[in-house]
Amino acid sequence: MSDPALVSWRAEALRVGYASVAMFPLLTSEQETIGTLTVYGVQADAFAEEEIRLFMELTTDMVFGVATLRTRAERQRAETELRKLSRAVEQSPASVIITDTAGRIEYVNPKFTQLTGYVLEEVIGQNPRFLKLDHMTVEVYRQLWETITSGKTWSGEFLNKKKNGELFWEIVSISPVRDTTGTITHFIAVMEDITDRKRAEEA
């Protein structure tokens, strides 16, 4: 108990009758210390080599147990956050489209269906451009695609057509979605119906 690192514990340990202590770091495979296993003895030099070896083996089991609990807790947190995000998107007052990196639709939220009249089963696998009229030039689409594939967000306005043929204006923001390595895996488009505003401006 003469180790300077244990000075703050020495008085209390001696008070309760401890005369020796063995401390074993809990090291992950990446050599990250996530805690210690501390064992006290009532006699000086209380720990034999065999006991020390057993304690060191015990730390391996403890690290595995802690890592398992961490993984489980992190997974639960991720699932909770995912549920929150899912509810937010489902209840969003804006239309939301998620595509793969080739621009094929994988998801649309209820607001999209309410606005356009198309359900997911009708649009899945299609490019969102099927909604758009020919008033947009090829150059605009080229700039849009170059912007989002380079990892940036593109914003602009589109004149689109609903399933029933009715025209409507939207202001659109399209952003890349990245995984934990930074690789773009999807694109998400958030669209707000501005038809009433456009009509007011024209009037």
Side-chain angles (χ1 to χ4, degrees):
M1 295 292 291
S2 59
D3 191 322
L6 303 176
V7 169
S8 61
W9 297 352
R10 178 180 173 81
E12 182 63 19
L14 291 175
R15 187 185 68 79
V16 297
Y18 294 138
S20 58
V21 62
M23 301 182 72
F24 305 89
L26 304 182
L27 295 174
T28 66
S29 57
E30 292 79 22
Q31 297 301 301
E32 174 193 2
T33 301
I34 60 174
T36 58
L37 169 64
T38 305
V39 184
Y40 293 95
V42 295
Q43 297 177 343
D45 301 321
F47 308 106
E49 290 185 7
E50 179 64 16
E51 291 174 313
I52 291 175
R53 185 183 65 79
L54 291 174
F55 284 133
M56 292 180 68
E57 291 178 358
L58 178 60
T59 62
T60 301
D61 295 335
M62 293 178 68
V63 168
F64 177 78
V66 170
T68 300
L69 290 174
R70 274 187 171 183
T71 301
R72 185 179 303 162
E74 289 168 358
R75 184 170 60 249
Q76 289 174 343
R77 283 196 295 270
E79 290 173 352
T80 298
E81 292 303 315
L82 185 59
R83 284 194 293 270
K84 289 180 183 178
L85 178 59
S86 177
R87 287 195 296 269
V89 172
E90 289 287 312
Q91 299 171 19
S92 172
S95 298
V96 176
I97 298 176
I98 297 176
T99 75
D100 62 15
T101 53
R104 294 182 291 260
I105 294 174
E106 292 188 356
Y107 169 85
V108 295
N109 72 340
K111 182 63 178 180
F112 172 91
T113 297
Q114 177 187 336
L115 177 63
T116 67
Y118 291 101
V119 298
L120 176 61
E121 290 73 18
E122 294 177 288
V123 301
I124 193 167
Q126 295 198 60
N127 189 294
R129 280 167 45 173
F130 83 91
L131 290 170
K132 298 171 177 47
L133 301 183
D134 294 332
H135 76 291
M136 302 295 289
T137 65
V138 173
E139 178 63 19
V140 170
Y141 284 116
R142 185 185 66 79
Q143 291 177 353
L144 183 160
W145 190 248
E146 288 181 354
T147 299
I148 62 177
T149 54
S150 68
K152 300 176 183 178
T153 297
W154 183 91
S155 296
E157 294 181 359
F158 284 127
L159 178 61
N160 293 339
K161 184 166 63 174
K162 300 180 182 181
K163 186 177 181 180
N164 63 8
E166 181 183 346
L167 302 183
F168 67 103
W169 281 95
E170 287 184 309
I171 185 168
V172 183
S173 178
I174 307 174
S175 302
V177 178
R178 301 177 185 272
D179 62 16
T180 55
T181 68
T183 302
I184 296 174
T185 61
H186 294 83
F187 298 111
I188 182 168
V190 179
M191 300 160 288
E192 180 185 356
D193 182 4
I194 58 171
T195 305
D196 290 342
R197 191 189 78 188
K198 282 287 189 178
R199 287 173 178 168
E201 291 173 352
E202 292 172 359

